Amino acid sequence: MAKAAHPRKDAGARRVSSVGGLLAEAARQELLRALRALPQGAGPAALRGLATLLEAAVEVEEEVDPCIADELIRVLGPVMGEDTPVTVAEAAAVATGSDAKVLVAMLTGLRGALSELRALKVGLTGECVGALSRAELLLQQTPATATRLALESAMAGARTKLASELSRLHAPVPITSAEVLPIARWVLGDGPPPAGAAVLELARRLDDFCHRAPLTPLDLEELRVLARKADAERESPGWPWVLERLRTVRPRLMPRRVLPPLYRSLAGAQVEVTQGALSLEDLLR
């Protein structure tokens, strides 16, 4: 905050910071027009409607813009006196009820995360998951602002794309956007197993077993171990999906047996057993 007097500089020569850049400068010009439309002495309440504009115009290394300072003094001076803000950051703090330095630091972090997400190639990589994890933490720590909403929107889009990739990897188990980060970190070996991890592991590895079919006794036992672990998580939403998938691919997986003529007529009994199987492991007997 500053008194009514303020440093005089040529507004056209004001330096544009690298952080706000041309977008912040355009926002300043729009803000200046909005301030000029406010009545003299309107007071701090009048700034609340300009909070988004003020936020967009905030820069890190800010110098006093004499044109904006004049308008802030005209609109706020009669009410705020010596506490009248003369910089955009100070005015944004008044509009949002925050501290100017805290606001600038917060916007710097949000803008950096937003730029990172917009340039990010979304996929199951450490770089992508790391960027999304940092953005998620930032969203948890910052209050609602226009920049935060933009980051939240970018985050939602990236989550949706990553959820699609993880769903393909764990087909037919669908992965929701809310689950993507814990599951992605686990798959990459950078986090603890999520709920239903054994079901997900079986779903992910079934294709590999299908490629090895018909399975050798050792392969079949390995698959049974995975199925047994997944059966312990049968309350997981993905368990029924894996059960149906395993029932479908079972004929490919099981070692082929040559039945004596006397028993060939009884082959249908095996089909009934698989259709009525109550567990994943039952299907592999």
Side-chain angles (χ1 to χ4, degrees), residues 18-274:
S18 59
V19 176
L22 295 177
L23 290 177
E25 184 62 23
R28 281 175 177 268
Q29 296 305 315
E30 188 176 354
L31 172 63
L32 185 57
R33 289 192 292 270
L35 287 172
R36 285 170 175 165
L38 294 177
Q40 182 172 354
L47 291 188
R48 296 193 187 108
L50 305 182
T52 300
L53 272 179
L54 286 163
E55 178 188 333
V58 168
E59 298 184 71
V60 174
E61 297 178 5
E62 185 174 47
E63 298 176 359
V64 175
D65 183 323
C67 295
I68 288 180
D70 281 341
E71 291 304 316
L72 290 172
I73 292 169
R74 182 183 66 81
V75 173
L76 303 176
V79 177
M80 299 186 66
E82 292 187 355
D83 293 326
T84 300
V86 294
T87 68
V88 174
E90 291 171 350
V94 171
T96 59
S98 58
D99 177 81
K101 291 183 179 179
V102 172
L103 180 65
V104 169
M106 180 187 73
L107 290 177
T108 300
L110 289 171
R111 287 169 176 171
L114 183 57
S115 296
E116 185 177 22
L117 283 194
R118 285 174 172 169
L120 186 67
K121 183 177 180 181
V122 177
L124 188 57
T125 63
E127 179 187 8
C128 175
V129 174
L132 291 176
S133 297
R134 289 189 294 274
E136 181 181 55
L137 182 61
L138 199 56
L139 288 173
Q140 293 171 355
Q141 296 173 339
T142 53
T145 63
T147 308
R148 185 189 185 281
L149 289 176
L151 178 60
E152 192 173 355
S153 177
M155 182 76 171
R159 278 176 172 275
T160 299
K161 290 181 182 178
L162 187 54
S164 295
E165 182 172 341
L166 286 170
S167 294
R168 289 192 297 271
L169 184 63
H170 297 92
V173 180
I175 307 298
T176 67
S177 294
E179 300 172 302
V180 291
L181 286 180
I183 291 176
R185 284 191 284 259
W186 166 65
V187 171
L188 293 172
D190 196 30
V199 171
L200 292 173
E201 183 176 4
L202 178 57
R204 187 171 70 247
R205 295 186 59 185
L206 260 182
D207 275 347
D208 178 54
F209 283 103
C210 288
H211 292 149
R212 290 189 251 164
L215 299 182
T216 66
L218 286 177
D219 288 338
L220 185 57
E221 183 55 33
E222 181 183 359
L223 182 56
R224 282 174 178 154
V225 170
L226 291 173
R228 194 175 305 128
K229 291 179 180 178
D231 279 332
E233 298 176 346
R234 64 175 63 224
E235 298 304 318
S236 168
W239 187 85
W241 293 93
V242 176
L243 181 68
E244 289 306 311
R245 173 82 197 289
L246 186 56
R247 181 176 283 121
T248 300
V249 301
R250 181 188 184 280
R252 295 170 53 190
L253 297 173
M254 300 301 287
R256 295 185 178 92
R257 298 175 183 176
V258 179
L259 296 176
L262 180 62
Y263 295 102
R264 287 176 186 172
S265 62
L266 302 177
Q270 182 65 27
V271 175
E272 293 179 4
V273 170
T274 59

